[in-house]
Amino acid sequence: QVHLVESGGGLVQPGGSLRLSCLASGSTFSIATIYWYRQAPGKERDVVATITSSGNTDYADSVKGRFTISRDNAKNTVYLQMNSLKPEDTAVYYCRYRRPWGPAYLDYWGQGTQVTVSL
């Protein structure tokens, strides 16, 4: 069992920055791919950023150049640095842990952290 805890959300003005953190329990963090998703009211949950065990990253087009995902395996933590925030970035942000397990995958989600971008 892996427990994920997101933190760092809050209220920020347009153009501002926030850094989200996703802290994972357990000893297998370094081999997992970690995703940040977000879900706005009435919308589907969409992937925002991905970082693999080897450090490769990928981003949704809507956040490229503004968001940066990184990981610190020594701290079992993945970060999402969000700059130049826009009102449309308002959502609950979730982290997802996924790693191979035999022929299948283990998948865990955090409880989410609210990000609100508003004047």
Side-chain angles (χ1 to χ4, degrees):
Q1 183 77 15
V2 173
H3 188 54
L4 302 173
V5 178
E6 301 98 333
S7 62
L11 173 64
V12 63
Q13 292 186 353
S17 297
L18 283 175
R19 189 177 80 157
L20 306 183
S21 298
C22 172
L23 173 64
S25 64
S27 60
T28 57
F29 178 79
S30 63
I31 65 172
T33 293
I34 307 295
Y35 307 80
W36 281 102
Y37 282 74
R38 67 186 180 187
Q39 187 168 22
K43 295 189 176 182
E44 294 185 353
R45 189 176 297 188
D46 294 322
V47 63
V48 172
T50 304
I51 187 164
T52 67
S53 59
S54 57
N56 293 322
T57 59
D58 194 24
Y59 299 92
D61 287 344
S62 59
V63 307
K64 280 181 181 176
R66 300 188 299 122
F67 290 11
T68 302
I69 189 170
S70 60
R71 66 191 300 160
D72 185 340
N73 290 336
K75 296 182 178 179
N76 274 21
T77 301
V78 167
Y79 304 97
L80 185 68
Q81 178 66 43
M82 306 187 296
N83 299 329
S84 302
L85 282 162
K86 305 175 181 180
E88 51 263 43
D89 295 318
T90 295
V92 178
Y93 284 71
Y94 300 88
C95 65
R96 175 192 181 194
Y97 164 114
R98 191 168 195 245
R99 71 169 178 88
W101 187 60
Y105 288 88
L106 290 176
D107 240 315
Y108 299 96
W109 290 82
Q111 83 291 347
T113 185
Q114 176 70 47
V115 171
T116 303
V117 184
S118 179
L119 291 171

